[in-house]
PDB file of all heavy atoms in Angstrom:
ATOM      1  N   LEU A   1       2.070   3.701  11.465  1.00  0.00           N
ATOM      2  CA  LEU A   1       1.409   2.609  10.759  1.00  0.00           C
ATOM      3  C   LEU A   1       2.401   1.836   9.892  1.00  0.00           C
ATOM      4  O   LEU A   1       2.338   0.609   9.787  1.00  0.00           O
ATOM      5  CB  LEU A   1       0.265   3.154   9.894  1.00  0.00           C
ATOM      6  CG  LEU A   1      -0.964   3.635  10.678  1.00  0.00           C
ATOM      7  CD1 LEU A   1      -1.851   4.508   9.796  1.00  0.00           C
ATOM      8  CD2 LEU A   1      -1.753   2.448  11.219  1.00  0.00           C
ATOM      9  N   TYR A   2       3.320   2.558   9.282  1.00  0.00           N
ATOM     10  CA  TYR A   2       4.368   1.910   8.495  1.00  0.00           C
ATOM     11  C   TYR A   2       5.227   1.020   9.400  1.00  0.00           C
ATOM     12  O   TYR A   2       5.546  -0.124   9.058  1.00  0.00           O
ATOM     13  CB  TYR A   2       5.231   2.970   7.808  1.00  0.00           C
ATOM     14  CG  TYR A   2       6.468   2.410   7.134  1.00  0.00           C
ATOM     15  CD1 TYR A   2       6.358   1.552   6.044  1.00  0.00           C
ATOM     16  CD2 TYR A   2       7.741   2.740   7.591  1.00  0.00           C
ATOM     17  CE1 TYR A   2       7.492   1.047   5.429  1.00  0.00           C
ATOM     18  CE2 TYR A   2       8.873   2.239   6.983  1.00  0.00           C
ATOM     19  CZ  TYR A   2       8.742   1.387   5.902  1.00  0.00           C
ATOM     20  OH  TYR A   2       9.859   0.880   5.301  1.00  0.00           O
ATOM     21  N   GLY A   3       5.562   1.533  10.581  1.00  0.00           N
ATOM     22  CA  GLY A   3       6.331   0.745  11.543  1.00  0.00           C
ATOM     23  C   GLY A   3       5.588  -0.503  11.983  1.00  0.00           C
ATOM     24  O   GLY A   3       6.185  -1.576  12.155  1.00  0.00           O
ATOM     25  N   ASP A   4       4.263  -0.380  12.146  1.00  0.00           N
ATOM     26  CA  ASP A   4       3.450  -1.538  12.528  1.00  0.00           C
ATOM     27  C   ASP A   4       3.527  -2.625  11.461  1.00  0.00           C
ATOM     28  O   ASP A   4       3.613  -3.823  11.779  1.00  0.00           O
ATOM     29  CB  ASP A   4       1.983  -1.131  12.720  1.00  0.00           C
ATOM     30  CG  ASP A   4       1.773  -0.248  13.949  1.00  0.00           C
ATOM     31  OD1 ASP A   4       2.684  -0.208  14.809  1.00  0.00           O
ATOM     32  OD2 ASP A   4       0.711   0.389  14.038  1.00  0.00           O
ATOM     33  N   LEU A   5       3.494  -2.224  10.199  1.00  0.00           N
ATOM     34  CA  LEU A   5       3.578  -3.196   9.105  1.00  0.00           C
ATOM     35  C   LEU A   5       4.923  -3.908   9.109  1.00  0.00           C
ATOM     36  O   LEU A   5       4.998  -5.123   8.883  1.00  0.00           O
ATOM     37  CB  LEU A   5       3.347  -2.497   7.763  1.00  0.00           C
ATOM     38  CG  LEU A   5       1.906  -2.068   7.470  1.00  0.00           C
ATOM     39  CD1 LEU A   5       1.856  -1.145   6.262  1.00  0.00           C
ATOM     40  CD2 LEU A   5       1.028  -3.287   7.217  1.00  0.00           C
ATOM     41  N   LEU A   6       5.985  -3.166   9.372  1.00  0.00           N
ATOM     42  CA  LEU A   6       7.317  -3.785   9.438  1.00  0.00           C
ATOM     43  C   LEU A   6       7.401  -4.762  10.600  1.00  0.00           C
ATOM     44  O   LEU A   6       7.991  -5.846  10.483  1.00  0.00           O
ATOM     45  CB  LEU A   6       8.395  -2.706   9.572  1.00  0.00           C
ATOM     46  CG  LEU A   6       8.629  -1.804   8.354  1.00  0.00           C
ATOM     47  CD1 LEU A   6       9.701  -0.767   8.678  1.00  0.00           C
ATOM     48  CD2 LEU A   6       9.039  -2.613   7.128  1.00  0.00           C
ATOM     49  N   GLU A   7       6.807  -4.392  11.741  1.00  0.00           N
ATOM     50  CA  GLU A   7       6.807  -5.282  12.906  1.00  0.00           C
ATOM     51  C   GLU A   7       6.048  -6.572  12.620  1.00  0.00           C
ATOM     52  O   GLU A   7       6.364  -7.627  13.156  1.00  0.00           O
ATOM     53  CB  GLU A   7       6.182  -4.576  14.119  1.00  0.00           C
ATOM     54  CG  GLU A   7       7.095  -3.556  14.768  1.00  0.00           C
ATOM     55  CD  GLU A   7       6.494  -2.972  16.039  1.00  0.00           C
ATOM     56  OE1 GLU A   7       5.541  -3.585  16.577  1.00  0.00           O
ATOM     57  OE2 GLU A   7       6.964  -1.915  16.484  1.00  0.00           O
ATOM     58  N   ASN A   8       5.043  -6.478  11.743  1.00  0.00           N
ATOM     59  CA  ASN A   8       4.267  -7.655  11.354  1.00  0.00           C
ATOM     60  C   ASN A   8       4.946  -8.450  10.242  1.00  0.00           C
ATOM     61  O   ASN A   8       4.327  -9.332   9.633  1.00  0.00           O
ATOM     62  CB  ASN A   8       2.866  -7.238  10.897  1.00  0.00           C
ATOM     63  CG  ASN A   8       2.017  -6.743  12.046  1.00  0.00           C
ATOM     64  OD1 ASN A   8       2.258  -7.065  13.202  1.00  0.00           O
ATOM     65  ND2 ASN A   8       1.011  -5.941  11.732  1.00  0.00           N
ATOM     66  N   LYS A   9       6.221  -8.118   9.978  1.00  0.00           N
ATOM     67  CA  LYS A   9       7.036  -8.838   8.995  1.00  0.00           C
ATOM     68  C   LYS A   9       6.554  -8.642   7.563  1.00  0.00           C
ATOM     69  O   LYS A   9       6.791  -9.490   6.698  1.00  0.00           O
ATOM     70  CB  LYS A   9       7.087 -10.340   9.312  1.00  0.00           C
ATOM     71  CG  LYS A   9       7.482 -10.682  10.740  1.00  0.00           C
ATOM     72  CD  LYS A   9       8.870 -10.177  11.083  1.00  0.00           C
ATOM     73  CE  LYS A   9       9.257 -10.553  12.516  1.00  0.00           C
ATOM     74  NZ  LYS A   9      10.574  -9.998  12.910  1.00  0.00           N
ATOM     75  N   GLU A  10       5.882  -7.523   7.298  1.00  0.00           N
ATOM     76  CA  GLU A  10       5.465  -7.230   5.932  1.00  0.00           C
ATOM     77  C   GLU A  10       6.684  -6.698   5.169  1.00  0.00           C
ATOM     78  O   GLU A  10       7.291  -5.716   5.574  1.00  0.00           O
ATOM     79  CB  GLU A  10       4.354  -6.182   5.937  1.00  0.00           C
ATOM     80  CG  GLU A  10       3.616  -6.045   4.625  1.00  0.00           C
ATOM     81  CD  GLU A  10       2.724  -7.234   4.327  1.00  0.00           C
ATOM     82  OE1 GLU A  10       2.173  -7.827   5.266  1.00  0.00           O
ATOM     83  OE2 GLU A  10       2.583  -7.561   3.128  1.00  0.00           O
ATOM     84  N   PRO A  11       7.082  -7.339   4.058  1.00  0.00           N
ATOM     85  CA  PRO A  11       8.261  -6.877   3.303  1.00  0.00           C
ATOM     86  C   PRO A  11       8.058  -5.454   2.788  1.00  0.00           C
ATOM     87  O   PRO A  11       6.952  -5.112   2.333  1.00  0.00           O
ATOM     88  CB  PRO A  11       8.338  -7.874   2.135  1.00  0.00           C
ATOM     89  CG  PRO A  11       7.597  -9.080   2.592  1.00  0.00           C
ATOM     90  CD  PRO A  11       6.490  -8.551   3.473  1.00  0.00           C
ATOM     91  N   PRO A  12       9.094  -4.618   2.853  1.00  0.00           N
ATOM     92  CA  PRO A  12       8.957  -3.228   2.404  1.00  0.00           C
ATOM     93  C   PRO A  12       8.416  -3.091   0.984  1.00  0.00           C
ATOM     94  O   PRO A  12       7.566  -2.246   0.711  1.00  0.00           O
ATOM     95  CB  PRO A  12      10.393  -2.683   2.521  1.00  0.00           C
ATOM     96  CG  PRO A  12      10.986  -3.484   3.630  1.00  0.00           C
ATOM     97  CD  PRO A  12      10.419  -4.852   3.467  1.00  0.00           C
ATOM     98  N   MET A  13       8.899  -3.959   0.055  1.00  0.00           N
ATOM     99  CA  MET A  13       8.431  -3.857  -1.320  1.00  0.00           C
ATOM    100  C   MET A  13       6.958  -4.254  -1.450  1.00  0.00           C
ATOM    101  O   MET A  13       6.249  -3.764  -2.328  1.00  0.00           O
ATOM    102  CB  MET A  13       9.305  -4.709  -2.248  1.00  0.00           C
ATOM    103  CG  MET A  13      10.644  -4.093  -2.580  1.00  0.00           C
ATOM    104  SD  MET A  13      10.494  -2.531  -3.512  1.00  0.00           S
ATOM    105  CE  MET A  13      11.121  -1.350  -2.316  1.00  0.00           C
ATOM    106  N   SER A  14       6.490  -5.127  -0.574  1.00  0.00           N
ATOM    107  CA  SER A  14       5.061  -5.474  -0.572  1.00  0.00           C
ATOM    108  C   SER A  14       4.233  -4.279  -0.115  1.00  0.00           C
ATOM    109  O   SER A  14       3.146  -4.021  -0.628  1.00  0.00           O
ATOM    110  CB  SER A  14       4.795  -6.668   0.354  1.00  0.00           C
ATOM    111  OG  SER A  14       5.375  -7.839  -0.153  1.00  0.00           O
ATOM    112  N   ILE A  15       4.761  -3.552   0.872  1.00  0.00           N
ATOM    113  CA  ILE A  15       4.081  -2.341   1.352  1.00  0.00           C
ATOM    114  C   ILE A  15       3.987  -1.332   0.213  1.00  0.00           C
ATOM    115  O   ILE A  15       2.936  -0.723  -0.012  1.00  0.00           O
ATOM    116  CB  ILE A  15       4.831  -1.739   2.555  1.00  0.00           C
ATOM    117  CG1 ILE A  15       4.832  -2.719   3.738  1.00  0.00           C
ATOM    118  CG2 ILE A  15       4.209  -0.400   2.961  1.00  0.00           C
ATOM    119  CD1 ILE A  15       5.696  -2.281   4.904  1.00  0.00           C
ATOM    120  N   LEU A  16       5.086  -1.174  -0.526  1.00  0.00           N
ATOM    121  CA  LEU A  16       5.099  -0.229  -1.641  1.00  0.00           C
ATOM    122  C   LEU A  16       4.107  -0.654  -2.724  1.00  0.00           C
ATOM    123  O   LEU A  16       3.403   0.178  -3.298  1.00  0.00           O
ATOM    124  CB  LEU A  16       6.509  -0.130  -2.228  1.00  0.00           C
ATOM    125  CG  LEU A  16       6.757   1.017  -3.217  1.00  0.00           C
ATOM    126  CD1 LEU A  16       6.494   2.354  -2.549  1.00  0.00           C
ATOM    127  CD2 LEU A  16       8.180   0.965  -3.745  1.00  0.00           C
ATOM    128  N   TYR A  17       4.041  -1.960  -2.978  1.00  0.00           N
ATOM    129  CA  TYR A  17       3.085  -2.471  -3.969  1.00  0.00           C
ATOM    130  C   TYR A  17       1.648  -2.172  -3.537  1.00  0.00           C
ATOM    131  O   TYR A  17       0.829  -1.718  -4.334  1.00  0.00           O
ATOM    132  CB  TYR A  17       3.270  -3.977  -4.157  1.00  0.00           C
ATOM    133  CG  TYR A  17       2.095  -4.635  -4.850  1.00  0.00           C
ATOM    134  CD1 TYR A  17       1.929  -4.518  -6.226  1.00  0.00           C
ATOM    135  CD2 TYR A  17       1.139  -5.337  -4.113  1.00  0.00           C
ATOM    136  CE1 TYR A  17       0.831  -5.087  -6.868  1.00  0.00           C
ATOM    137  CE2 TYR A  17       0.037  -5.912  -4.746  1.00  0.00           C
ATOM    138  CZ  TYR A  17      -0.104  -5.794  -6.117  1.00  0.00           C
ATOM    139  OH  TYR A  17      -1.196  -6.348  -6.743  1.00  0.00           O
ATOM    140  N   LEU A  18       1.340  -2.441  -2.265  1.00  0.00           N
ATOM    141  CA  LEU A  18      -0.017  -2.203  -1.765  1.00  0.00           C
ATOM    142  C   LEU A  18      -0.368  -0.710  -1.813  1.00  0.00           C
ATOM    143  O   LEU A  18      -1.504  -0.334  -2.112  1.00  0.00           O
ATOM    144  CB  LEU A  18      -0.150  -2.731  -0.333  1.00  0.00           C
ATOM    145  CG  LEU A  18      -0.151  -4.255  -0.175  1.00  0.00           C
ATOM    146  CD1 LEU A  18      -0.063  -4.631   1.297  1.00  0.00           C
ATOM    147  CD2 LEU A  18      -1.399  -4.870  -0.806  1.00  0.00           C
ATOM    148  N   PHE A  19       0.622   0.118  -1.504  1.00  0.00           N
ATOM    149  CA  PHE A  19       0.411   1.565  -1.552  1.00  0.00           C
ATOM    150  C   PHE A  19       0.081   1.987  -2.980  1.00  0.00           C
ATOM    151  O   PHE A  19      -0.859   2.761  -3.232  1.00  0.00           O
ATOM    152  CB  PHE A  19       1.683   2.279  -1.066  1.00  0.00           C
ATOM    153  CG  PHE A  19       1.416   3.604  -0.401  1.00  0.00           C
ATOM    154  CD1 PHE A  19       1.569   3.750   0.968  1.00  0.00           C
ATOM    155  CD2 PHE A  19       1.026   4.709  -1.143  1.00  0.00           C
ATOM    156  CE1 PHE A  19       1.326   4.968   1.592  1.00  0.00           C
ATOM    157  CE2 PHE A  19       0.783   5.922  -0.541  1.00  0.00           C
ATOM    158  CZ  PHE A  19       0.935   6.060   0.837  1.00  0.00           C
ATOM    159  N   THR A  20       0.852   1.449  -3.940  1.00  0.00           N
ATOM    160  CA  THR A  20       0.631   1.770  -5.351  1.00  0.00           C
ATOM    161  C   THR A  20      -0.742   1.294  -5.813  1.00  0.00           C
ATOM    162  O   THR A  20      -1.466   2.013  -6.511  1.00  0.00           O
ATOM    163  CB  THR A  20       1.716   1.100  -6.215  1.00  0.00           C
ATOM    164  OG1 THR A  20       3.006   1.496  -5.748  1.00  0.00           O
ATOM    165  CG2 THR A  20       1.563   1.492  -7.682  1.00  0.00           C
ATOM    166  N   ARG A  21      -1.096   0.074  -5.428  1.00  0.00           N
ATOM    167  CA  ARG A  21      -2.411  -0.476  -5.787  1.00  0.00           C
ATOM    168  C   ARG A  21      -3.530   0.416  -5.253  1.00  0.00           C
ATOM    169  O   ARG A  21      -4.518   0.685  -5.946  1.00  0.00           O
ATOM    170  CB  ARG A  21      -2.553  -1.891  -5.219  1.00  0.00           C
ATOM    171  CG  ARG A  21      -3.914  -2.531  -5.430  1.00  0.00           C
ATOM    172  CD  ARG A  21      -3.958  -3.916  -4.803  1.00  0.00           C
ATOM    173  NE  ARG A  21      -5.281  -4.513  -4.904  1.00  0.00           N
ATOM    174  CZ  ARG A  21      -6.276  -4.302  -4.048  1.00  0.00           C
ATOM    175  NH1 ARG A  21      -6.075  -3.502  -2.999  1.00  0.00           N
ATOM    176  NH2 ARG A  21      -7.449  -4.877  -4.204  1.00  0.00           N
ATOM    177  N   HIS A  22      -3.349   0.895  -4.026  1.00  0.00           N
ATOM    178  CA  HIS A  22      -4.372   1.728  -3.399  1.00  0.00           C
ATOM    179  C   HIS A  22      -4.504   3.063  -4.123  1.00  0.00           C
ATOM    180  O   HIS A  22      -5.620   3.556  -4.338  1.00  0.00           O
ATOM    181  CB  HIS A  22      -4.010   1.953  -1.926  1.00  0.00           C
ATOM    182  CG  HIS A  22      -5.157   2.436  -1.100  1.00  0.00           C
ATOM    183  ND1 HIS A  22      -5.829   1.642  -0.210  1.00  0.00           N
ATOM    184  CD2 HIS A  22      -5.765   3.652  -1.036  1.00  0.00           C
ATOM    185  CE1 HIS A  22      -6.784   2.340   0.377  1.00  0.00           C
ATOM    186  NE2 HIS A  22      -6.764   3.569  -0.110  1.00  0.00           N
ATOM    187  N   ILE A  23      -3.382   3.645  -4.510  1.00  0.00           N
ATOM    188  CA  ILE A  23      -3.433   4.917  -5.244  1.00  0.00           C
ATOM    189  C   ILE A  23      -4.177   4.725  -6.561  1.00  0.00           C
ATOM    190  O   ILE A  23      -4.988   5.578  -6.965  1.00  0.00           O
ATOM    191  CB  ILE A  23      -2.006   5.445  -5.498  1.00  0.00           C
ATOM    192  CG1 ILE A  23      -1.340   5.829  -4.166  1.00  0.00           C
ATOM    193  CG2 ILE A  23      -2.037   6.650  -6.440  1.00  0.00           C
ATOM    194  CD1 ILE A  23       0.128   6.143  -4.291  1.00  0.00           C
ATOM    195  N   ASN A  24      -3.917   3.606  -7.238  1.00  0.00           N
ATOM    196  CA  ASN A  24      -4.611   3.331  -8.497  1.00  0.00           C
ATOM    197  C   ASN A  24      -6.119   3.167  -8.281  1.00  0.00           C
ATOM    198  O   ASN A  24      -6.925   3.577  -9.127  1.00  0.00           O
ATOM    199  CB  ASN A  24      -4.037   2.073  -9.160  1.00  0.00           C
ATOM    200  CG  ASN A  24      -2.730   2.367  -9.889  1.00  0.00           C
ATOM    201  OD1 ASN A  24      -2.616   3.368 -10.589  1.00  0.00           O
ATOM    202  ND2 ASN A  24      -1.748   1.502  -9.727  1.00  0.00           N
ATOM    203  N   ILE A  25      -6.500   2.574  -7.154  1.00  0.00           N
ATOM    204  CA  ILE A  25      -7.925   2.446  -6.830  1.00  0.00           C
ATOM    205  C   ILE A  25      -8.545   3.832  -6.672  1.00  0.00           C
ATOM    206  O   ILE A  25      -9.638   4.105  -7.178  1.00  0.00           O
ATOM    207  CB  ILE A  25      -8.127   1.613  -5.545  1.00  0.00           C
ATOM    208  CG1 ILE A  25      -7.832   0.135  -5.817  1.00  0.00           C
ATOM    209  CG2 ILE A  25      -9.544   1.776  -5.003  1.00  0.00           C
ATOM    210  CD1 ILE A  25      -7.892  -0.743  -4.581  1.00  0.00           C
ATOM    211  N   LEU A  26      -7.842   4.727  -5.975  1.00  0.00           N
ATOM    212  CA  LEU A  26      -8.367   6.080  -5.762  1.00  0.00           C
ATOM    213  C   LEU A  26      -8.507   6.836  -7.084  1.00  0.00           C
ATOM    214  O   LEU A  26      -9.489   7.559  -7.293  1.00  0.00           O
ATOM    215  CB  LEU A  26      -7.460   6.851  -4.805  1.00  0.00           C
ATOM    216  CG  LEU A  26      -7.343   6.298  -3.379  1.00  0.00           C
ATOM    217  CD1 LEU A  26      -6.493   7.225  -2.514  1.00  0.00           C
ATOM    218  CD2 LEU A  26      -8.722   6.095  -2.734  1.00  0.00           C
ATOM    219  N   LEU A  27      -7.543   6.652  -7.979  1.00  0.00           N
ATOM    220  CA  LEU A  27      -7.631   7.300  -9.291  1.00  0.00           C
ATOM    221  C   LEU A  27      -8.832   6.773 -10.079  1.00  0.00           C
ATOM    222  O   LEU A  27      -9.558   7.541 -10.723  1.00  0.00           O
ATOM    223  CB  LEU A  27      -6.340   7.079 -10.080  1.00  0.00           C
ATOM    224  CG  LEU A  27      -5.149   7.948  -9.648  1.00  0.00           C
ATOM    225  CD1 LEU A  27      -3.856   7.432 -10.270  1.00  0.00           C
ATOM    226  CD2 LEU A  27      -5.385   9.412 -10.053  1.00  0.00           C
ATOM    227  N   GLN A  28      -9.042   5.458 -10.022  1.00  0.00           N
ATOM    228  CA  GLN A  28     -10.204   4.873 -10.711  1.00  0.00           C
ATOM    229  C   GLN A  28     -11.508   5.347 -10.082  1.00  0.00           C
ATOM    230  O   GLN A  28     -12.497   5.570 -10.792  1.00  0.00           O
ATOM    231  CB  GLN A  28     -10.120   3.352 -10.659  1.00  0.00           C
ATOM    232  CG  GLN A  28      -9.009   2.756 -11.516  1.00  0.00           C
ATOM    233  CD  GLN A  28      -8.967   1.246 -11.403  1.00  0.00           C
ATOM    234  OE1 GLN A  28      -9.760   0.540 -12.023  1.00  0.00           O
ATOM    235  NE2 GLN A  28      -8.038   0.745 -10.602  1.00  0.00           N
ATOM    236  N   MET A  29     -11.508   5.480  -8.755  1.00  0.00           N
ATOM    237  CA  MET A  29     -12.693   5.986  -8.064  1.00  0.00           C
ATOM    238  C   MET A  29     -13.064   7.368  -8.601  1.00  0.00           C
ATOM    239  O   MET A  29     -14.236   7.641  -8.884  1.00  0.00           O
ATOM    240  CB  MET A  29     -12.448   6.079  -6.562  1.00  0.00           C
ATOM    241  CG  MET A  29     -12.576   4.787  -5.793  1.00  0.00           C
ATOM    242  SD  MET A  29     -14.249   4.118  -5.693  1.00  0.00           S
ATOM    243  CE  MET A  29     -15.202   5.545  -5.241  1.00  0.00           C
ATOM    244  N   LYS A  30     -12.069   8.228  -8.721  1.00  0.00           N
ATOM    245  CA  LYS A  30     -12.330   9.579  -9.212  1.00  0.00           C
ATOM    246  C   LYS A  30     -12.905   9.546 -10.631  1.00  0.00           C
ATOM    247  O   LYS A  30     -13.868  10.244 -10.947  1.00  0.00           O
ATOM    248  CB  LYS A  30     -11.036  10.397  -9.184  1.00  0.00           C
ATOM    249  CG  LYS A  30     -10.637  10.906  -7.803  1.00  0.00           C
ATOM    250  CD  LYS A  30      -9.412  11.776  -7.882  1.00  0.00           C
ATOM    251  CE  LYS A  30      -9.171  12.530  -6.588  1.00  0.00           C
ATOM    252  NZ  LYS A  30     -10.235  13.527  -6.281  1.00  0.00           N
ATOM    253  N   GLU A  31     -12.281   8.738 -11.473  1.00  0.00           N
ATOM    254  CA  GLU A  31     -12.702   8.671 -12.868  1.00  0.00           C
ATOM    255  C   GLU A  31     -14.115   8.105 -13.007  1.00  0.00           C
ATOM    256  O   GLU A  31     -14.961   8.673 -13.704  1.00  0.00           O
ATOM    257  CB  GLU A  31     -11.709   7.803 -13.650  1.00  0.00           C
ATOM    258  CG  GLU A  31     -12.054   7.653 -15.124  1.00  0.00           C
ATOM    259  CD  GLU A  31     -11.059   6.769 -15.861  1.00  0.00           C
ATOM    260  OE1 GLU A  31      -9.941   6.569 -15.349  1.00  0.00           O
ATOM    261  OE2 GLU A  31     -11.422   6.267 -16.948  1.00  0.00           O
TER     262      GLU A  31
END
């Protein structure tokens, strides 16, 4: 899936940002 994002020209740092945003959503969900 990570490779697919790179093939779609998604910048690596954007992927990292989205990953971080998603983790924060999961933490808020738990809380």
